[in-house]
């Protein structure tokens, strides 16, 4: 017994109930089944500290669409979830809590600090997982992983030891990003670079033994205290006579060689630059080339250290002011100019990072990168869109060794032990009791932890049990698809490829879908400061989860970013309501029909029945084809167009006459049966996109099976391609639409009935119209449809052409000509004004260069729409004026 569909759709009453039903029945959980083909995805693990934002919602909606689609196609689908331990983020949270208590982590101690971190994880670390469930994600939650769970930790330590034993991990002094607040090395991806207002300080460096000077320009005068040289471009004629000479560093009186190097930009400042190898990435590389001294002037807190006693203890910005003051006193500060520059800040604490040389652990990357390049060039891994392969290759071909150590406590502690007596280094999976070389018990472990990205790089195979050779690893690995954002191609995607090839000798996934970036409806980046951020949680509560999911899929096509406003989500909420209301109508209109006893051979299909079967079949093919190409936007548009524009607007309307009569029981049964059959099949086609409403309605109408999510996905059936039915229906729809268009243009009331006069020499079309006369009258709101040989008084008729048929509608009996002329002229003025505003945007160079492609295309569509409306209104005015 199917339940009655409520009058209104209330997502809040449906979603939690349905999700609990799916969980209870373990529909998301799978086991190894050699009799079925596997399809696996590993979730990009959200940070432990994270809460659901639109990027998460988009990425996980895409993954859920894929996994539900493949599950319904019969694959043994695994979507493996988990979270990342987010080393720095958790560190900041715990340290901020402690700061309120007036203690530091060093006062608390490592063990007590880690106890607090684990307690916080247990209390708050599951928030984003619950939000992913709210989104409808059909992950195998029984297999949920955490990057610091015991099994994963074993994988991380094993990977480190294997790399080390194979000579790929080493320790050295290198230039790194240092956060003076968090007191740790940070990855490039954790540095946000934004243009800020700064200065160029022009400083005169006196020449040794000459009454002359060379002027350099710098944006960081405090770092001059660590200068080792002055550099100019080899082809810069202004400085050819200076190369090989010596300058004197102001304030410190250090002798600096003047060198030439083609990496110097002659257009930067004066073309002569100070070289500070210990505090600038570019200077570091130049320093290595020229064997320059590396003079570290900062301590861990970015205060001047003992190497510069004159300024020792000053904060870097206090030091800047003092240096500027002292240069002025010497008369060697020539001038100061405003200059905008890119400032790197730690994305966690917003503190400006400090480039510095530090002893860290590194992974040699060149040989790993070569393997990663080869598998993509050999098409074993495919990027979608393909243009992201260029970005991937550029980074891999210019790769540098990877700094993997972090000066933190929360994370995987580096499995390296040092002997205090013989300086031996041991790398072990389990803590050793004594030195392997001298057997001394005076050993201690490295204080640092590994970069979070090191553990994340192992995610696809370590989540399945590696380093153990588990059944899951043998069956579900490699995975099929990875969906992710473009900004972590370097830091995550590439590293997963390299580690998988190294440890597993296999690729980690076959396809990488780089999803779009979401902007606001005006094409601006979403940010809290602009107040244009859309929070998915309240949006789901307001409009329903399916509305948000379908909005995101509707806007997701390869290579195009998304411009999103809340009105678009509201529109998809209206679509959900349309589905609900149509389903309720069909259910109410087919009460009393026993669908289980219906034999399809006993039914009598009319033209519209054959047409809707074909149209649904074509929609199935189009949706599947686009899903396979990751064109979620086009797949969604096909679903939208079929249901609203064909099933509801045409088929339901055409069926009403049969449903509301009892004389022809076969006709009534046929219409009712097909309405239900197409609806049930459509809900299965829609389910991966809008899982909640599709399940709720499906459970309320005749169906086979216990849940829509484990029912078969519709398949394209070539035998259901009835081209004749489509051809004939298109003629009928063209005629009806043309009459409706005239009614709409002339603002004729829907209740007003009138006659339409048709002229055609095409006998087949004429026969088709006569046979379907009743349908045309009912849907177009006519008294009659009459074929005539000619129209004598053309001035009194509006003429349209549809499918080669001339359609004449008597005008003067329908409207007040003068009132209609006034309305049309007012409307014409409004539309012309909008057209001019839109046209002006295309004369704006900034709009064309800076607006996202989607916004420009949308505006171009508006321009075309306004142009067509202007032509249409002017035609109507011309017609009415001719009737005087």
């Amino acid at each position: 017994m199917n339940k009655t569909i409520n009058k209104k759709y209330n997502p809040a009453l449906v979603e939690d109930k349905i999700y609990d039903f799916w969980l209870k029945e373990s529909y998301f959980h799978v086991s190894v089944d050699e009799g079925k083909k596997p399809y696996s995805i590993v979730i990009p693990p959200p940070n432990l500290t994270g809460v659901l934002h639109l990027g998460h919602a988009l990425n996980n909606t895409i993954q859920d669409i894929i996994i539900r689609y493949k599950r319904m196609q019969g694959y043994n689908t695994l979507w493996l979830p988990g979270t990342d331990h987010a080393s720095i983020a958790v560190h900041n949270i715990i340290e901020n809590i402690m700061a309120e208590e007036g203690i530091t982590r060093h006062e608390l101690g490592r063990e007590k600090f880690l106890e607090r971190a684990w307690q916080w994880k247990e209390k708050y670390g599951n928030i984003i997982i619950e939000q992913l469930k709210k989104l409808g994600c059909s992950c195998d939650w029984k297999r949920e992983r955490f990057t610091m769970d015991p099994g994963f930790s074993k994988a991380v330590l094993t990977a480190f030891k294997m790399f080390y034993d194979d000579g790929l991990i080493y320790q050295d002094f290198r230039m790194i990003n240092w956060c003076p607040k968090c007191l740790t090395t940070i990855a490039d991806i954790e540095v946000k670079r934004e243009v800020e207002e700064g200065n160029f300080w022009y400083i005169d460096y006196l020449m040794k033994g000459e009454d002359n000077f060379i002027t350099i320009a710098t944006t960081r005068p405090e770092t001059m205290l660590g200068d080792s040289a002055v550099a100019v471009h080899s082809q810069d004629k202004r400085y050819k006579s200076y190369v090989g000479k010596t300058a004197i560093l102001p304030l410190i009186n250090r002798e600096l060689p003047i060198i030439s190097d083609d990496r110097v930009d002659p257009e930067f400042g004066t073309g002569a630059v100070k070289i500070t190898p210990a505090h600038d990435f570019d200077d570091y590389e130049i320093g290595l080339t020229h064997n320059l001294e590396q003079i570290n002037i900062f301590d861990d807190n970015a205060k001047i250290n003992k190497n510069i006693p004159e300024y020792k203890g000053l904060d870097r910005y206090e030091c800047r002011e003092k240096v500027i003051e002292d240069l002025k006193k010497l008369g060697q500060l020539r001038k100061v100019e405003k200059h905008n520059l890119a400032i790197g800040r730690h994305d966690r604490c917003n503190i400006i990072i400090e480039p510095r040389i530090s002893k860290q652990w590194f992974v040699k990357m060149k040989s790993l990168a070569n393997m990663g390049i080869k598998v993509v060039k050999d098409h074993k891994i495919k990027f979608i869109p393909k243009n992201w392969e260029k970005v991937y290759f550029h980074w891999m071909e210019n790769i540098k060794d990877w700094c993997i150590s972090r000066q933190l406590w929360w994370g995987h502690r580096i499995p390296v032990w040092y002997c205090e007596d013989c300086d031996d280094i041991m790398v072990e999976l389990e803590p050793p009791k004594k030195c392997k070389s001298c057997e001394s018990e005076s050993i201690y472990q490295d204080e640092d932890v590994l970069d979070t990205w090191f553990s994340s790089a192992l995610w696809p195979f370590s989540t399945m049990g590696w380093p153990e050779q588990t059944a899951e690893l043998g069956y579900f690995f490699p995975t099929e698809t990875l969906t992710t954002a473009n900004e972590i191609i370097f830091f995550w995607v590439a590293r997963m490829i390299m580690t998988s090839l190294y440890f597993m000798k296999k690729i980690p996934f076959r396809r990488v879908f780089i999803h779009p970036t979401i902007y606001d409806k005006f094409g601006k980046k979403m940010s809290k400061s602009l107040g244009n951020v859309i929070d998915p949680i309240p949006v789901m509560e307001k409009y329903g989860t399916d509305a948000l999911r379908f909005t995101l899929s509707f806007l997701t096509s390869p290579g195009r970013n998304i411009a999103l406003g809340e009105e678009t989500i509201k529109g998809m909420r209206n679509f959900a309501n349309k589905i609900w209301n149509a389903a309720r109508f069909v259910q109410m209109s087919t009460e009393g029909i026993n669908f289980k006893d219906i034999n399809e051979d006993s039914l009598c299909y009319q033209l519209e029945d054959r047409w809707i079967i074909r149209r649904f079949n074509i929609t199935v093919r189009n949706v599947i084809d686009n899903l396979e190409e990751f064109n979620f936007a086009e797949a969604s548009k096909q679903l939208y167009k079929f249901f609203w524009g064909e099933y509801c607007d045409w088929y339901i309307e055409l069926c009403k006459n049969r449903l509301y009569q009892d004389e022809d029981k076969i006709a009534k049964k046929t219409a009712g049966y097909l309405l239900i059959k197409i609806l049930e099949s459509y809900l299965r086609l829609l389910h991966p996109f809008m899982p909640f409403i599709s399940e709720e309605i499906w459970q309320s109408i005749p169906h086979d099976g216990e849940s829509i999510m484990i029912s078969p996905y519709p398949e394209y059936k070539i035998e259901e391609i009835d081209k004749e039915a489509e051809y004939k229906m298109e003629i009928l729809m063209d005629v009806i639409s043309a009459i409706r268009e005239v009614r709409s243009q002339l603002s004729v009331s829907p209740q007003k009935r009138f006659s339409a006069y048709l002229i055609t020499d095409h006998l087949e079309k004429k026969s088709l119209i006569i046979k379907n006369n009743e349908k045309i009258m009912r849907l177009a709101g006519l008294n009659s449809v009459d074929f005539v040989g000619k129209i004598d008084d053309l001035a009194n008729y509006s003429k349209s052409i549809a499918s080669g048929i001339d359609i004449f509608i008597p005008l003067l009996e329908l409207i007040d000509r003068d009132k209609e002329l006034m309305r049309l002229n007012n409307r014409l003025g409004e539309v012309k004004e909008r057209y001019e505003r839109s046209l002006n945007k295309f004369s704006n160079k900034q709009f064309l260069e800076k607006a996202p492609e989607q916004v420009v295309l949308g505006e171009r569509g508006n321009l075309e729409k306004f142009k067509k409306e202007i032509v249409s209104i002017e035609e109507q005015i011309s017609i009415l004026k001719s009737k005087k």
Side-chain angles (χ1 to χ4, degrees):
M1 182 76 179
N2 302 118
K3 60 185 179 182
T4 301
I5 298 174
N6 292 333
K7 188 174 181 180
K8 288 186 176 181
Y9 176 53
N10 186 343
L13 298 178
V14 169
E15 293 174 357
D16 288 347
K17 175 193 69 175
I18 286 178
Y19 201 85
D20 289 343
F21 162 65
W22 291 332
L23 287 176
K24 181 183 176 184
E25 298 300 324
S26 294
Y27 291 142
F28 305 159
H29 180 62
V30 292
S31 300
V32 172
D33 184 349
E34 297 294 347
K36 295 177 73 175
K37 189 174 181 179
Y39 190 100
S40 58
I41 293 176
V42 289
I43 198 171
N47 281 348
L48 193 64
T49 57
V51 292
L52 193 74
H53 56 63
L54 268 181
H56 291 132
L58 170 63
N59 195 12
N60 288 283
T61 293
I62 291 168
Q63 291 173 81
D64 196 49
I65 289 172
I66 294 169
I67 214 73
R68 287 180 184 270
Y69 162 59
K70 290 298 179 181
R71 184 185 291 120
M72 293 177 76
Q73 282 192 323
Y75 288 86
N76 198 25
T77 52
L78 169 64
W79 185 11
L80 207 155
T83 49
D84 189 276
H85 62 277
S87 188
I88 292 180
V90 172
H91 239 271
N92 283 343
I93 288 171
I94 305 303
E95 288 197 275
N96 288 338
I97 293 171
M98 292 193 307
E100 293 176 4
E101 300 172 13
I103 56 173
T104 67
R105 65 170 161 130
H106 295 286
E107 291 169 341
L108 185 66
R110 188 176 197 128
E111 296 308 315
K112 292 289 184 183
F113 180 89
L114 291 175
E115 283 179 20
R116 285 195 175 208
W118 279 107
Q119 288 167 4
W120 186 92
K121 185 261 180 190
E122 294 307 315
K123 188 173 182 180
Y124 299 107
N126 213 39
I127 290 175
I128 196 164
I129 293 298
E130 293 306 311
Q131 291 174 334
L132 289 174
K133 291 177 180 178
K134 171 69 178 168
L135 188 64
C137 294
S138 56
C139 301
D140 189 344
W141 299 112
K142 295 180 181 179
R143 295 182 182 274
E144 184 182 342
R145 300 301 302 268
F146 174 53
T147 52
M148 281 176 62
D149 67 36
F152 207 101
S153 294
K154 180 180 179 181
V156 171
L157 300 182
T158 300
F160 185 97
K161 182 168 172 53
M162 289 177 69
F163 271 151
Y164 182 84
D165 290 347
D166 291 346
L168 290 178
I169 283 183
Y170 66 95
Q171 195 176 31
D172 198 4
F173 286 92
R174 291 286 182 90
M175 179 67 70
I176 49 88
N177 299 304
W178 180 262
C179 177
K181 181 177 185 297
C182 301
L183 301 180
T184 182
T185 310
I186 61 172
D188 287 344
I189 194 174
E190 293 162 332
V191 179
K192 59 176 183 179
R193 298 191 181 277
E194 295 180 356
V195 175
E196 300 182 19
E197 187 179 90
N199 290 312
F200 257 146
W201 283 272
Y202 290 80
I203 304 169
D204 293 340
Y205 284 29
L206 300 178
M207 299 297 297
K208 182 181 179 182
E210 298 181 19
D211 186 17
N212 195 8
F213 57 85
I214 186 168
T215 303
I216 63 94
T218 180
T219 59
R220 297 194 64 195
E222 69 278 10
T223 62
M224 67 181 287
L225 303 176
D227 284 2
S228 295
V230 172
V232 297
H233 193 278
S234 62
Q235 301 303 311
D236 194 333
K237 295 178 181 179
R238 295 172 296 175
Y239 298 112
K240 275 193 177 294
S241 63
Y242 286 80
V243 177
K245 293 182 178 181
T246 301
I248 304 299
L249 178 65
L251 308 178
I252 304 298
N253 294 322
R254 184 183 304 132
E255 293 189 359
L256 307 177
I258 299 177
I259 61 174
S260 67
D261 193 289
D262 289 350
R263 285 166 287 191
V264 174
D265 179 3
E267 302 299 319
F268 183 84
T270 64
V273 296
K274 57 192 264 328
I275 301 299
T276 317
H279 297 290
D280 181 272
F281 281 94
D282 294 331
D283 291 4
Y284 173 76
E285 295 297 333
I286 291 174
L288 291 179
T289 301
H290 297 274
N291 197 28
L292 299 176
E293 185 181 3
Q294 298 170 344
I295 304 168
N296 177 29
I297 66 171
F298 293 125
D299 65 13
D300 290 353
N301 298 291
K303 292 183 177 182
I304 302 299
N305 63 22
K306 64 182 180 181
N307 292 332
I308 311 294
E310 298 91 334
Y311 297 88
K312 182 183 176 184
L314 291 179
D315 171 83
R316 52 185 168 168
Y317 301 113
E318 294 173 341
C319 181
R320 175 179 295 180
E321 296 305 315
K322 186 73 168 65
V323 164
I324 292 169
E325 181 185 336
D326 291 347
L327 286 170
K328 286 179 179 177
K329 289 177 181 177
L330 289 175
Q332 289 181 252
L333 180 64
R334 179 162 292 272
K335 63 177 179 176
V336 181
E337 288 180 350
K338 292 293 182 186
H339 174 72
N340 293 334
L341 64 159
I343 298 290
R345 293 180 180 271
H346 189 183
D347 64 357
R348 293 292 174 186
C349 65
N350 207 40
I351 294 296
I352 295 177
I353 62 102
E354 190 60 56
R356 70 184 301 203
I357 294 171
S358 177
K359 190 177 184 182
Q360 303 288 341
W361 287 96
F362 295 87
V363 178
K364 294 179 183 177
M365 300 302 293
K366 194 64 180 175
S367 61
L368 297 173
N370 288 338
M371 294 191 296
I373 290 169
K374 188 176 188 304
V375 292
V376 176
K377 284 190 172 179
D378 290 347
H379 309 296
K380 292 179 180 177
I381 296 177
K382 178 183 178 183
F383 277 81
I384 304 161
K386 186 176 175 60
N387 62 287
W388 288 112
E389 289 182 4
K390 293 180 182 178
V391 176
Y392 173 83
F393 288 138
H394 176 77
W395 187 72
M396 295 287 266
E397 287 163 358
N398 296 279
I399 202 164
K400 296 180 180 179
D401 287 356
W402 175 15
C403 177
I404 56 171
S405 46
R406 298 292 181 268
Q407 290 64 54
L408 302 167
W409 289 346
W410 173 250
H412 299 102
R413 193 169 178 179
I414 292 177
V416 173
W417 282 262
Y418 305 93
C419 178
E420 292 181 338
D421 292 334
C422 74
D423 295 329
D424 192 27
I425 295 177
M426 296 167 284
V427 176
E428 303 291 340
L429 299 182
E430 298 293 336
K433 290 186 170 52
K434 57 185 178 180
C435 175
K436 287 190 173 180
S437 296
C438 70
E439 297 191 346
S440 169
E441 294 183 1
S442 298
I443 59 174
Y444 63 96
Q445 188 174 358
D446 196 300
E447 290 289 327
D448 292 351
V449 298
L450 289 165
D451 177 13
T452 300
W453 294 104
F454 187 91
S455 50
S456 298
L458 312 175
W459 185 252
F461 50 94
S462 56
T463 50
M464 296 185 192
W466 186 87
E468 309 302 327
Q469 295 303 310
T470 64
E472 286 79 5
L473 194 59
Y475 179 69
F476 287 113
F477 188 85
T479 65
E480 291 293 331
T481 303
L482 175 77
T483 77
T484 191
N486 65 70
E487 62 263 22
I488 55 175
I489 291 175
F490 316 140
F491 304 102
W492 191 47
V493 178
R495 286 167 177 168
M496 284 191 288
I497 292 172
M498 290 185 283
T499 58
S500 181
L501 290 170
Y502 192 78
F503 296 117
M504 298 296 300
K505 314 303 179 192
K506 295 178 181 179
I507 56 173
F509 27 72
R510 293 179 175 86
R511 294 179 295 184
V512 180
F513 177 66
I514 304 299
H515 66 66
T517 301
I518 302 177
Y519 296 91
D520 73 6
K521 62 181 178 181
F522 302 109
K524 293 181 179 178
K525 187 175 180 180
M526 289 189 179
S527 71
K528 290 180 181 178
S529 61
L530 292 175
N532 61 352
V533 172
I534 296 177
D535 186 339
I537 299 300
V539 163
M540 288 190 284
E541 291 169 351
K542 184 176 181 180
Y543 298 112
T545 298
D546 286 330
L548 175 63
R549 287 174 59 114
F550 200 68
T551 299
L552 295 172
S553 68
F554 200 87
L555 298 173
T556 300
S557 56
R560 287 190 177 179
N561 288 328
I562 293 173
L564 177 63
E566 193 168 327
E567 60 273 14
T568 310
I569 304 168
K570 184 178 180 180
M572 294 311 171
R573 187 271 313 274
N574 295 342
F575 179 54
N577 288 338
K578 182 75 172 180
I579 297 169
W580 184 266
N581 293 334
R584 185 169 184 270
F585 169 81
V586 170
Q587 186 189 58
M588 292 170 63
S589 301
T590 57
E591 284 179 345
I593 299 177
N594 188 347
F595 291 94
K596 288 186 178 180
D597 294 337
I598 289 180
N599 182 347
E600 287 198 39
D601 293 337
S602 69
L603 302 176
C604 183
Y605 288 155
Q606 295 190 15
L607 174 61
E608 61 265 28
D609 301 325
R610 291 159 46 211
W611 169 77
I612 199 66
I613 290 171
R614 169 178 166 80
R615 289 308 307 151
F616 178 71
N617 198 31
I618 294 295
T619 301
V620 169
R621 183 189 66 190
N622 292 341
V623 169
I624 290 175
D625 286 352
N626 281 290
L627 278 176
E628 292 296 334
E629 294 299 319
F630 293 85
N631 195 337
F632 301 95
E634 189 55 39
S636 302
K637 286 167 188 172
Q638 291 290 323
L639 287 163
Y640 187 98
K641 174 187 168 187
F642 170 80
F643 193 83
W644 200 314
E646 295 174 342
Y647 183 77
C648 291
D649 286 355
W650 289 103
Y651 188 63
I652 287 180
E653 294 303 316
L654 286 165
C655 284
K656 284 180 178 178
N657 211 36
R658 284 186 281 169
L659 294 172
Y660 295 158
Q661 57 82 39
D662 291 313
E663 291 79 22
D664 189 342
K665 296 190 180 303
I666 292 178
K668 183 172 185 174
K669 185 190 295 184
T670 301
Y673 170 77
L674 206 50
L675 278 167
I676 287 288
K677 180 183 177 182
I678 296 294
L679 176 61
E680 188 276 336
S681 299
Y682 175 80
L683 291 170
R684 286 187 280 119
L685 193 67
L686 176 71
H687 175 73
F689 301 80
M690 303 177 79
F692 293 108
I693 195 171
S694 58
E695 180 78 87
E696 180 70 6
I697 295 173
W698 189 82
Q699 295 286 356
S700 305
I701 63 173
H703 62 268
D704 291 324
E706 57 192 53
S707 171
I708 193 172
M709 68 167 287
I710 56 171
S711 298
Y713 204 66
E715 295 179 350
Y716 175 68
K717 299 174 183 176
I718 196 166
E719 67 272 14
E720 291 183 354
I721 298 301
D722 190 335
K723 292 184 179 179
E724 182 191 26
E726 180 151 29
Y727 168 72
K728 290 181 177 179
M729 270 297 295
E730 282 178 356
I731 294 171
L732 296 181
M733 291 189 298
D734 278 353
V735 170
I736 294 167
S737 296
I739 298 168
R740 285 175 170 176
E741 178 67 16
V742 172
R743 181 188 288 276
S744 172
Q745 287 180 349
L746 300 179
S747 301
V748 177
S749 165
Q751 286 73 40
K752 181 82 172 178
R753 302 283 166 177
F754 52 88
S755 297
Y757 301 95
L758 278 58
I759 298 176
T760 182
D761 293 328
H762 198 294
L763 296 180
E764 186 181 345
K765 291 180 182 178
K766 186 174 183 178
S767 174
L768 175 68
I769 298 295
I770 293 171
K771 189 174 180 180
N772 292 277
N773 193 294
E774 179 276 329
K775 294 169 185 173
I776 295 172
M777 288 194 296
R778 184 160 49 85
L779 269 64
L782 302 175
N783 288 324
S784 64
V785 178
D786 301 309
F787 280 95
V788 295
K790 66 175 183 175
I791 296 292
D792 293 324
D793 187 10
L794 289 175
N796 289 324
Y797 290 86
S798 168
K799 180 184 176 183
S800 299
I801 301 174
S803 293
I805 301 170
D806 292 340
I807 303 171
F808 295 89
I809 296 171
L811 275 177
L812 298 183
E813 64 186 72
L814 299 180
I815 59 171
D816 181 318
R817 187 188 63 230
D818 292 335
K819 283 185 178 179
E820 184 61 16
L821 276 171
M822 183 182 296
R823 185 192 70 81
L824 286 172
N825 277 306
N826 289 338
R827 177 62 182 166
L828 181 62
E830 292 173 6
V831 178
K832 280 185 174 180
E833 188 177 328
R834 291 184 183 180
Y835 175 78
E836 288 299 325
R837 283 204 302 266
S838 182
L839 191 62
N840 288 337
K841 289 185 180 180
F842 288 93
S843 303
N844 186 333
K845 189 177 179 182
Q846 277 197 327
F847 172 75
L848 294 173
E849 289 177 353
K850 295 184 178 180
E853 182 185 4
Q854 197 166 350
V855 172
V856 176
L857 288 173
E859 196 59 47
R860 205 175 291 282
N862 288 337
L863 196 66
E864 192 62 31
K865 181 181 72 175
F866 295 145
K867 188 188 295 185
K868 286 180 179 177
E869 189 173 355
I870 289 168
V871 171
S872 174
I873 294 172
E874 288 176 339
E875 286 177 352
Q876 292 173 62
I877 290 172
S878 176
I879 290 170
L880 288 174
K881 283 183 176 178
S882 71
K883 310 307 178 193
K884 288 187 175 182

